[in-house]
Amino acid sequence: MSTNTPLLAFMLGMAASPALAQTQSFNTDVVTVRADVIAGGLNHPWGLDFLPGNEAIVTERSGQIRILSQGGLSEPVAGVPEVAASGQGGLLDIAVARDFSTSGTIFFSFSEPGRGGAGTALARAKLVRDGAKARLDDVKVIFSMNRKTGTSHHFGSRIVANDDSTVFVTTGDRGQGDRAQDMQDHAGAVIRVNADGSIPQDNPSPDGKAMAPEIWSKGHRNLQGATFDPVLGGLITVEHGAQGGDELNRPQAGKNYGWPVITYGRDYSGEKIGIGTSAKGYEQPLYYWDPSIAPSGLASYQGDMFPEWKGDLLVGSLKFELLSRLDRDAKGNILDEERILDGAFGRIRDVNVAPDGSIWLLTDEGDGMIVRLSRGD
């Protein structure tokens, strides 16, 4: 991406605001990184994306959407539907449609209350601006998990809006591992639908005979990071294992990624899970972490600000409060891992690459922050 000078100047101005004057430098293997806190006071921020006009849009798990502009954080955007904000549930990811400049469309995921409890849902809406106020119009749920339960964890959920007008959204197993192997259950899956909620005809089973028609892949535990990776030419995801066994995967149509039949993790009691680390019919991860880092947001770095990192993967860690950089070769093979920002800002919930190549992080705290990483040398 080319450098966006107005965005860069705007964000540096925000970072210099007296209320947010928190700047630190970190030495990494190949470059010095400057970290600026550009917004604070967010209630467990979960997802972020970039809007035209040098703005960003961010969710708070408790149910608010806010817009970050030169004037700071907006008041909550009106029109957000009710969310089941409990435990790990609430308002989750957000993504700006590829045609936003003409359609005004955004997508967001949330734990949707309903009969039996709650489940992951994906909605689309039109973002309408009226001066300093903003609202969502024409809100439509385009995917809703087909079995809601009373547990308050393992909802997923990340969104990837594709060039072909389809949308990926990830789910968790809702704390019931066997659901990840039920091909008619939306839990523990990558879901793919058209932007209007209809079923893409090139989904693995659009007729629903082999698996529910919305399902792209199954056998996932709790997918909390997803992005399109130009290096591998497709979707990549990260998911939480149990005790050990966090995974980086490349979900492909109709394939099964094993949870809880195969895993590199163990139960929290120390007991073995499933039948081992591999078995016929189940895919292997591209990479796994043991011990677990509790991976969150995921980005494939393609920016110009850090050419040393081009093609590498950036993964947030909730457990160890750091940013993991997976160094890759030109074919996408993982060569090494570098851990950055260890404990500096708290639990890292999301990772995004801005148009100017800077890296934006969200911290999963009651007084959550947006942190911008730029070159410090």
Side-chain angles (χ1 to χ4, degrees), residues 168 170 183 188-192 202-205 211-212 214-220 223 227-229 232-237 239 247-258 281-286:
F168 288 115
T170 69
M183 298 302 153
V190 174
I191 301 296
R192 180 175 178 254
D202 58 347
N203 267 13
S205 182
M211 57 179 60
E214 300 89 352
I215 290 174
W216 179 257
S217 64
K218 281 284 281 182
H220 303 284
L223 292 147
T227 193
F228 178 82
D229 178 33
L232 296 178
L235 181 73
I236 55 172
T237 60
E239 63 186 85
E247 293 183 358
L248 169 72
N249 283 302
R250 183 188 179 188
Q252 297 184 61
K255 293 190 176 182
N256 189 326
Y257 290 80
Y282 303 103
E283 304 302 313
Q284 285 290 301
L286 300 177

Side-chain angles (χ1 to χ4, degrees), residues 157-308:
S157 156
R158 289 292 169 196
I159 304 166
V160 177
N162 303 305
D163 286 333
D164 62 1
S165 297
T166 64
V167 185
F168 288 115
V169 63
T170 69
T171 70
D173 67 2
R174 302 292 284 110
Q176 299 167 308
D178 290 347
R179 294 181 63 182
Q181 290 300 320
D182 182 344
M183 298 302 153
Q184 296 300 325
D185 192 322
H186 291 143
V190 174
I191 301 296
R192 180 175 178 254
V193 294
N194 290 318
D196 63 0
S198 61
I199 305 300
Q201 286 307 297
D202 58 347
N203 267 13
S205 182
D207 60 4
K209 291 180 180 178
M211 57 179 60
E214 300 89 352
I215 290 174
W216 179 257
S217 64
K218 281 284 281 182
H220 303 284
R221 185 172 183 265
N222 192 20
L223 292 147
Q224 297 225 338
T227 193
F228 178 82
D229 178 33
V231 177
L232 296 178
L235 181 73
I236 55 172
T237 60
V238 288
E239 63 186 85
H240 289 201
Q243 190 167 245
D246 296 342
E247 293 183 358
L248 169 72
N249 283 302
R250 183 188 179 188
Q252 297 184 61
K255 293 190 176 182
N256 189 326
Y257 290 80
W259 175 259
V261 181
I262 64 168
T263 177
Y264 285 87
R266 301 186 75 86
D267 190 78
Y268 297 106
S269 67
E271 294 296 315
K272 180 180 176 181
I273 300 172
I275 61 174
T277 58
S278 64
K280 185 177 180 180
Y282 303 103
E283 304 302 313
Q284 285 290 301
L286 300 177
Y287 186 82
Y288 69 91
W289 288 267
D290 187 8
S292 296
I293 67 167
S296 55
L298 168 67
S300 175
Y301 191 80
Q302 305 298 325
D304 293 331
M305 187 174 287
F306 299 99
E308 303 91 341

Side-chain angles (χ1 to χ4, degrees), residues 45-47 93 156-159 170 222-227 236-241 246-248 289 292-300 313-324 346-352 360-364:
W46 220 97
D93 203 16
S157 156
R158 289 292 169 196
I159 304 166
T170 69
N222 192 20
L223 292 147
Q224 297 225 338
T227 193
I236 55 172
T237 60
V238 288
E239 63 186 85
H240 289 201
D246 296 342
E247 293 183 358
L248 169 72
W289 288 267
S292 296
I293 67 167
S296 55
L298 168 67
S300 175
L313 300 180
L314 302 173
V315 185
S317 165
L318 296 163
K319 180 179 179 180
F320 293 131
E321 303 180 351
L322 54 80
L323 182 66
S324 168
R347 290 158 52 88
I348 304 300
R349 172 58 73 182
D350 199 13
V351 182
N352 295 272
W360 290 32
L361 311 175
L362 297 182
T363 67
D364 181 29

Side-chain angles (χ1 to χ4, degrees), residues 50-113:
F50 299 97
L51 295 168
N54 301 332
E55 295 180 319
I57 190 165
V58 61
T59 62
E60 296 172 284
R61 198 176 66 211
S62 50
Q64 295 75 238
I65 293 175
R66 298 182 187 271
I67 296 170
L68 178 63
S69 65
Q70 193 163 5
L73 284 168
S74 72
E75 292 299 312
V77 173
V80 178
E82 179 187 0
V83 305
S86 176
Q88 296 173 4
L91 185 58
L92 303 173
D93 203 16
I94 195 161
V96 174
R98 297 300 182 93
D99 64 352
F100 178 86
S101 59
T102 56
S103 71
T105 298
I106 63 167
F107 302 97
F108 58 94
S109 60
F110 63 107
S111 50
E112 178 187 44

